[in-house]
Amino acid sequence: AQSVTQPDIHITVSEGASLELRCNYSYGATPYLFWYVQSPGQGLQLLLKYFSGDTLVQGIKGFEAEFKRSQSSFNLRKPSVHWSDAAEYFCAVGMDSSYKLIFGSGTRLLVRP
Amino acid sequence: DVKVTQSSRYLVKRTGEKVFLECVQDMDHENMFWYRQDPGLGLRLIYFSYDVKMKEKGDIPEGYSVSREKKERFSLILESASTNQTSMYLCASRGGGPWEQYFGPGTRLTVT
């Protein structure tokens, strides 16, 4: 069965430090991959997406993600974290023609001043 | 900008009550979705709709029903609310890209 794993429940980084959030998926075909961010009390906002082509994709707010087929991964990165990046981050996989998304369990990012 | 709105941000209901959660999108999207979000479990799909009056069960449909009488509106119904339905409920609509979903702000439902 298709699944998405975010192995880190919480991550704490210092402001200005680099960030990498991990995402692994299990899916038989070429996946459609997404990262969403949820600020406290808010809905989800799309950060970036991968459908095909260049495996390094750029998103909003200075985030990027790299698709690695050999590792079934789609890790999210940011070179310098800002305090406003504190939020929960969800990785998701799009599957089949129903347009459903499967979400990971989320990673909560805390930013130290 | 795509806008997805949900009728309430916070809702408190009693066990056994019938509860309606409303979602409206303004972009003429065909697909709409209802999820519930619980700590450590991420988002789980309850129901989705791919057209007016068309619906399909998601992964956790038990205890819920839905209604889509107009394209822009998708309602989630808890026929008889129970305490284990206390959760954050998120509505989304699909547009822009094949799987790209736009989310509403969520409704935090507490059943006492």
Side-chain angles (χ1 to χ4, degrees), chain B residues 11-59:
Chain B
L11 209 53
V12 180
K13 295 293 182 180
R14 294 193 181 276
T15 301
E17 279 193 79
K18 190 169 186 176
V19 181
F20 292 87
L21 303 182
E22 304 285 336
C23 176
V24 177
Q25 50 95 1
D26 66 356
M27 284 300 292
D28 202 35
H29 288 169
E30 292 184 349
N31 297 67
M32 297 186 73
F33 305 81
W34 274 108
Y35 296 89
R36 66 176 280 175
Q37 181 183 10
D38 299 288
L41 297 178
L43 278 72
R44 293 178 292 167
L45 182 65
I46 305 172
Y47 267 97
F48 70 102
S49 168
Y50 47 91
D51 204 347
V52 175
K53 297 190 185 295
M54 308 298 284
K55 61 188 179 185
E56 279 198 28
K57 293 179 181 179
D59 300 318

Side-chain angles (χ1 to χ4, degrees), chain B residues 74-102:
Chain B
F74 191 34
S75 302
L76 180 69
I77 303 158
L78 287 67
E79 295 289 343
S80 178
S82 63
T83 55
N84 62 14
Q85 292 179 309
T86 291
S87 187
M88 169 74 96
Y89 290 88
L90 292 166
C91 174
S93 70
R94 180 189 71 83
W99 279 265
E100 190 169 329
Q101 293 184 18
Y102 296 88

Side-chain angles (χ1 to χ4, degrees), chain A residues 63-77:
Chain A
F63 285 92
E64 66 178 27
E66 186 171 13
F67 169 56
K68 292 186 177 180
R69 184 187 304 275
S70 61
Q71 299 177 18
S72 297
S73 69
F74 188 57
N75 293 350
L76 182 70
R77 301 194 293 248

Side-chain angles (χ1 to χ4, degrees), chain A residues 1-7 22-27 31-35 72-74 89-95 101-106, chain B residues 40-43:
Chain A
Q2 293 83 2
S3 64
V4 178
T5 302
Q6 293 180 247
R22 295 183 291 164
C23 173
N24 292 94
Y25 65 89
S26 170
Y27 186 54
Y32 298 85
L33 297 159
F34 302 81
W35 275 100
S72 297
S73 69
F74 188 57
Y89 292 79
F90 292 93
C91 181
V93 173
M95 51 178 282
L101 291 177
I102 298 175
F103 286 84
S105 55
Chain B
L41 297 178
L43 278 72

